[in-house]
Amino acid sequence: MKSTLLLLAVFTFGQLVNAQTTPAAKPAEAKMKTFVDALMKKMTLDEKIGQLNLPGSGDIVTGQASNSDIGKKIKDGQVGGLFNIKSVAKIKAVQKVAVEETRLKIPMIFGMDVIHGYETVFPIPLGLSCTWDMKVIERSAQIAAQEASADGINWTFSPMVDIARDPRWGRIAEGNGEDAYLGSRIAAAMVRGYQGNGTYKNNNIMACVKHYAMYGAAEAGRDYNTTDMSRVRMYNEYLPPYKAAADAGAGSMMASFNEVEGIPATGSKFLMTDVLRKQWGFKGFVVTDYTGINEMEAHGMGDLKQVSALALNAGIDMDMVGEGFLTTLKKSLQEGKITTAQIDAACRRILEAKYKLGLFDDPYRYCNEERAAKEVFTDANRKEARAIAAQSFVLLKNQGNILPIKKSASIALIGPLGNNKENMPGTWSVAADFSKATSVLEGLRSVLGTSARVTYAKGSFLDDDSLFEQRAGMFGKSFDRDGRTKQQLLDEAISIASQSDVIVAALGESAEMSGECSSRSDIEIPQTQKELLMALLKTGKPVVLVLFTGRPLALKWENENVPAILNVWFGGSEAGFAIADVLFGDVNPSGKLSTTFPQNVGQVPIFYSHKNTGRPLGEGKWFEKFRSNYLDVSNDPVYPFGYGLSYSNFYYSDVKLSSNTLKAGQTITATVTVTNNSKVDGKEVVQLYTRDMVGSITRPVKELKGFQKIELKAGESKTVTFTISVNDLKFYNSNLKFVAEPGDFKLFIGGNSRDVKEVAFKLL
Ligand code: BGC
């Protein structure tokens, strides 16, 4: 039932499209302001503070909305929204309390961690980023929005755009890798996918960009740990993806847990106001992360009253879970520590978000049981997810073209991840029904049909240490131990393997070995699985390692000893099918790494766009005394950024420049011809890098500036053209001015960041 107040909001956010940019949006923006002004005039201070409160969903997840503790708070106008409640019925019941039993009948916003799909689960973000395909990435977010919005959700805590260069950090799985340029393109694509063109139809949801900021640079890769870096590095290497998401019109941002320059991000005026609002002109609202305000007590920033005031003063609008705002802001106001204007500004931004989502027009806009029944986990969505998953896989090695496997071959599928559904969707798949995910075994059998000759054996535990295995098997993703010993598991595997034509070893990490609070100090495949792999190799049969991981692993030994390695990340609900599609060659792999794979954990952080140092190691050298290197390992990664093989072979011609000088206001083009020298149609990501040879600050040895994913039929050649303008050469100098400096540049084009063709030009 709509109240008269709700009927005031007759203007959908469609009229507010790109409110910051188009003049046509101005009247709609003015109408939103009039509406929110009128509403806020009626609101008491307590009701305004109530809007800033985002409690945990507590007993509502299982109980009755109206009689719950949170239900009582909602009735008292103390709740602005809730998150991670699943189903239309539950969400509708809670919304009913808000719009029928509160004084002002203000609807609530409903959030969820829809990180890489809803019930139809796509690859973990790190995997998805390896598609380097913005259409595919946007589409995955669109389908996620379609399903989530059909099931009552209107706000997602995604995209996670934290640049991460330390694979010890488990949350590297949730982001888009190490590079600011690729990360920025993906951030914008995700926002477009969730939010649509800004009109917020009822199948769009509002994005919440996280974790602002620099969360991925946690010291020692330990989650929630301190980050500390120069502003030049922040502006050039870590902030761009958040900015790209803000520029794409993201409706909200989430503050990160870490400190930045000695102040927790949640309390950082520099981040929340100076950069986000003043420099970038961000118009959405900012929510803390889970108890982010309260955690500032442990950071040593004061008691709850003090840190809550600090957060509001910094520019935070909404308090997730901790209720610091709810319980202390009034007192801080009386003491003059904060102002009414600050509370009003925060409240206004949250009401505006609800307005944009059309919730004042129809609070049940996203609560349609029919849609929920029809639009979630559909065959069509699953089909797309399967195709997308296959594109995220990265073929790391394929010696002697072991892959693709002939469909007539008899296959021994071995490994703790071979017949496991729960781990396929990967970390942060809150809405997934694991029983509906496809295991590798099911995938292989389904693709092979009745001719299938696949036998399975577990072969080893995930890890010999059962306590580790428990920690790595949270949230219903545990690995059952059936009482058999390590030796019994191995014997069974070897006996099956010896009778097969090909061994497919499904090994690596479990889904929860990456993700939040899943940092590792050892980034290799667990030892017991390695021992299994060695035993499988000893059979003399061809071995294909199907590698599950949520982070770059140290694969030196595997790269030297295993003939074929297909990195499948965690491919989502359709992972098993997609893996089979690629193993049998129905899909030619085309994924390219968005993070560098080190030789060992000691090289970390290792990333392609590093600085040169004053004592760079000579080209092709392993070690030189008094040069920047290690005694015990070369500087090279096992697999560089941008790397990934295909069943096709791609040959790159030399690069041609339209001119070797570039003037302000003009552009030059770089062209290269790529030929598919094989009998298989394939896709290739053609990558463009530059190097600024002399700068007012030191510049990286390579920076990604463009890429194009092309399709080449067997034997086909295509000319790929990139246009370079002065803008592409800009960076933040030591005064944090975004400038391009005249001088010498190098330009590189290739199929990864290491194997490139090079030319030179001058910026005049
Ligand atoms: C995570 C966020 C997440 C939030 C809500 C936190 O622990 O850091 O990424 O969105 O919980 O579930």
Side-chain angles (χ1 to χ4, degrees):
M1 200 177 70
K2 293 177 188 176
S3 71
T4 39
L5 180 82
L6 298 174
L7 287 171
L8 278 175
V10 286
F11 306 99
T12 67
F13 193 63
Q15 292 155 288
L16 282 172
V17 184
N18 297 329
Q20 286 115 310
T21 48
T22 58
K26 285 265 152 42
E29 207 177 342
K31 273 164 194 155
M32 176 168 77
K33 184 172 180 314
T34 309
F35 174 81
V36 174
D37 281 347
L39 175 53
M40 284 184 59
K41 265 199 197 120
K42 296 182 190 152
M43 293 173 80
T44 63
L45 176 64
D46 286 322
E47 283 165 336
K48 287 176 185 169
I49 293 174
Q51 285 301 307
L52 319 188
N53 190 31
L54 181 72
S57 38
D59 49 356
I60 281 184
V61 174
T62 47
Q64 287 287 317
S66 195
N67 301 328
S68 65
D69 280 353
I70 291 176
K72 285 186 204 104
K73 278 192 185 145
I74 297 170
K75 287 181 204 168
D76 291 343
Q78 294 183 338
V79 179
L82 287 175
F83 68 100
N84 288 354
I85 309 182
K86 198 182 168 199
S87 90
V88 168
K90 280 198 183 109
I91 290 175
K92 213 170 176 179
V94 186
Q95 190 71 300
K96 199 159 181 271
V97 179
V99 298
E100 290 185 12
E101 299 188 51
T102 66
R103 194 178 78 87
L104 290 174
K105 310 184 182 341
I106 299 174
M108 296 206 297
I109 189 169
F110 289 93
M112 186 183 264
D113 287 284
V114 183
I115 307 296
H116 48 112
Y118 189 70
E119 279 198 25
T120 302
V121 185
F122 297 95
I124 54 166
L126 187 62
L128 200 55
S129 69
C130 294
T131 64
W132 293 56
D133 187 328
M134 297 309 120
K135 282 206 190 105
V136 152
I137 290 172
E138 182 174 338
R139 181 70 187 136
S140 76
Q142 210 172 56
I143 292 173
Q146 177 88 27
E147 291 196 1
S149 65
D151 215 15
I153 301 299
N154 43 44
W155 182 33
T156 177
F157 301 141
S158 171
M160 194 276 224
V161 303
D162 306 321
I163 293 296
R165 293 163 170 184
D166 190 333
R168 291 173 298 182
W169 190 53
R171 300 198 83 171
I172 198 169
E174 294 175 57
N176 306 310
E178 72 185 41
D179 185 62
Y181 177 81
L182 179 61
S184 298
R185 294 276 304 270
I186 294 174
M190 292 292 288
V191 170
R192 284 196 303 272
Y194 288 133
Q195 298 191 167
N197 58 8
T199 57
Y200 287 108
K201 300 200 183 78
N202 73 346
N203 59 0
N204 299 132
I205 55 180
M206 188 172 275
C208 182
V209 182
K210 68 191 191 185
H211 306 81
Y212 183 70
M214 272 78 74
Y215 184 36
E219 282 174 3
R222 182 157 51 78
D223 211 358
Y224 319 123
N225 205 2
T226 303
T227 68
D228 202 359
M229 66 177 77
S230 69
R231 292 226 171 159
V232 157
R233 173 163 265 181
M234 270 183 214
Y235 274 73
N236 284 310
E237 301 172 36
Y238 281 79
L239 290 178
Y242 308 104
K243 180 172 188 300
D247 290 346
S252 66
M253 284 260 173
M254 185 187 292
S256 56
F257 286 127
N258 56 285
E259 66 168 79
V260 171
E261 297 184 335
I263 299 178
T266 312
S268 168
K269 195 159 193 287
F270 160 66
L271 286 179
M272 299 304 158
T273 299
D274 299 348
V275 176
L276 186 61
R277 303 236 177 249
K278 293 191 181 153
Q279 292 174 22
W280 298 352
F282 180 67
K283 296 272 195 293
F285 73 100
V286 183
V287 63
T288 68
D289 202 344
Y290 205 106
T291 61
I293 291 180
N294 316 58
E295 290 174 24
M296 288 201 282
E297 291 184 74
H299 275 286
M301 304 300 289
D303 63 18
L304 188 59
K305 179 155 65 78
Q306 229 171 326
V307 294
S308 301
L310 182 69
L312 190 77
N313 276 316
I316 296 287
D317 303 309
M318 197 177 223
D319 173 4
M320 189 192 287
V321 176
E323 306 209 328
F325 277 180
L326 189 74
T327 55
T328 70
L329 284 190
K330 213 167 167 184
K331 189 97 198 334
S332 291
L333 186 63
Q334 285 156 5
E335 291 170 1
K337 301 271 169 43
I338 57 167
T339 64
T340 312
Q342 287 172 319
I343 294 176
D344 282 355
C347 176
R348 174 178 296 278
R349 290 184 191 124
I350 289 155
L351 296 176
E352 281 178 356
K354 294 178 177 183
Y355 182 97
K356 290 172 192 172
L357 286 166
L359 291 169
F360 287 108
D361 194 28
D362 177 4
Y364 304 111
R365 199 170 175 230
Y366 302 87
C367 293
N368 177 335
E369 279 95 349
E370 271 173 39
R371 271 193 66 200
K374 270 199 300 212
E375 296 179 22
V376 178
F377 204 67
T378 62
D379 287 349
N381 291 351
R382 293 180 62 196
K383 200 170 155 215
E384 287 196 62
R386 174 175 179 167
I388 291 173
Q391 287 208 56
S392 74
F393 302 160
V394 185
L395 182 62
L396 297 174
K397 193 175 168 194
N398 193 17
Q399 191 181 310
N401 292 334
I402 290 190
L403 287 173
I405 301 169
K406 286 203 182 68
K407 286 185 177 166
S408 55
S410 68
I411 296 167
L413 173 65
I414 312 285
L417 287 143
N419 187 20
N420 183 300
K421 289 169 176 286
E422 306 81 65
N423 282 275
M424 296 300 107
T427 187
W428 272 124
S429 33
V430 175
D433 176 346
F434 302 143
S435 68
K436 294 184 188 161
T438 319
S439 70
V440 183
L441 183 59
E442 286 170 317
L444 298 187
R445 287 192 171 145
S446 145
V447 166
L448 293 176
T450 46
S451 69
R453 291 198 292 147
V454 187
T455 41
Y456 169 75
K458 185 171 173 179
S460 80
F461 301 118
L462 178 77
D463 193 280
D464 283 342
D465 177 352
S466 63
L467 290 178
F468 177 89
E469 205 169 276
Q470 266 173 33
R471 290 198 291 275
M474 300 260 173
F475 311 122
K477 297 174 192 164
S478 55
F479 288 79
D480 294 329
R481 292 198 176 206
D482 57 12
R484 282 183 293 170
T485 63
K486 185 174 168 171
Q487 193 58 46
Q488 284 169 326
L489 291 176
L490 184 65
D491 290 346
E492 182 195 29
I494 298 303
S495 125
I496 285 174
S498 317
Q499 294 161 41
S500 67
D501 297 330
V502 180
I503 300 168
V504 173
L507 307 177
E509 296 193 320
S510 65
E512 296 303 329
M513 277 171 75
S514 58
E516 187 167 353
C517 191
S518 288
S519 293
R520 292 182 67 197
S521 65
D522 167 1
I523 53 167
E524 300 194 18
I525 295 176
Q527 184 56 28
T528 193
Q529 294 187 56
K530 263 192 165 176
E531 288 164 15
L532 168 64
L533 191 53
M534 289 174 202
L536 294 174
L537 287 165
K538 272 204 195 125
T539 64
K541 303 276 179 181
V543 176
V544 177
L545 170 59
V546 171
L547 178 72
F548 289 85
T549 182
R551 54 162 57 80
L553 293 176
L555 297 173
K556 188 171 185 301
W557 181 86
E558 290 77 359
N559 184 52
E560 283 166 4
N561 292 286
V562 184
I565 308 176
L566 180 69
N567 181 10
V568 297
W569 307 109
F570 291 96
S573 49
E574 314 310 310
F577 295 128
I579 291 167
D581 290 339
V582 173
L583 288 180
F584 297 119
D586 293 340
V587 176
N588 188 350
S590 59
K592 298 276 188 172
L593 296 178
S594 60
T595 43
T596 305
F597 273 47
Q599 295 189 59
N600 63 30
V601 73
Q603 289 182 309
V604 164
I606 179 170
F607 50 98
Y608 84 95
S609 60
H610 60 84
K611 301 292 186 68
N612 202 33
T613 80
R615 294 186 176 195
L617 188 64
E619 186 118 346
K621 292 274 169 42
W622 203 98
F623 175 81
E624 289 175 289
K625 193 67 187 165
F626 304 120
R627 294 272 148 191
S628 181
N629 48 216
Y630 302 95
L631 279 173
D632 54 355
V633 65
S634 77
N635 286 353
D636 302 323
V638 175
Y639 307 116
F641 175 83
Y643 173 87
L645 303 173
S646 157
Y647 298 154
S648 313
N649 299 316
F650 299 110
Y651 169 81
Y652 282 71
S653 73
D654 286 339
V655 180
K656 280 199 200 116
L657 285 182
S658 60
S659 163
N660 49 18
T661 55
L662 172 62
K663 291 191 196 120
Q666 296 184 349
T667 58
I668 54 171
T669 58
T671 47
V672 70
T673 303
V674 186
T675 304
N676 180 351
N677 263 344
S678 75
K679 296 205 168 78
V680 196
D681 301 349
K683 289 183 186 168
E684 169 72 338
V685 181
V686 183
Q687 303 160 37
L688 169 86
Y689 299 86
T690 59
R691 176 169 180 186
D692 188 348
M693 300 305 293
V694 180
S696 60
I697 59 171
T698 60
R699 309 285 296 118
V701 296
K702 258 179 207 149
E703 290 176 279
L704 183 71
K705 295 291 179 179
F707 55 86
Q708 292 179 38
K709 191 162 184 176
I710 56 167
E711 283 191 58
L712 287 173
K713 298 243 171 280
E716 192 186 5
S717 291
K718 270 187 187 163
T719 299
V720 179
T721 304
F722 292 96
T723 304
I724 298 111
S725 76
V726 176
N727 252 353
D728 297 320
L729 307 176
K730 286 186 174 168
F731 64 96
Y732 290 91
N733 68 14
S734 51
N735 299 318
L736 302 180
K737 292 267 167 320
F738 196 51
V739 295
E741 296 177 344
D744 289 329
F745 284 81
K746 278 188 181 166
L747 183 148
F748 316 87
I749 297 181
N752 65 63
S753 62
R754 181 189 59 202
D755 306 313
V756 289
K757 299 278 172 111
E758 175 184 327
V759 283
F761 71 94
K762 237 185 216 326
L763 175 63
L764 298 179

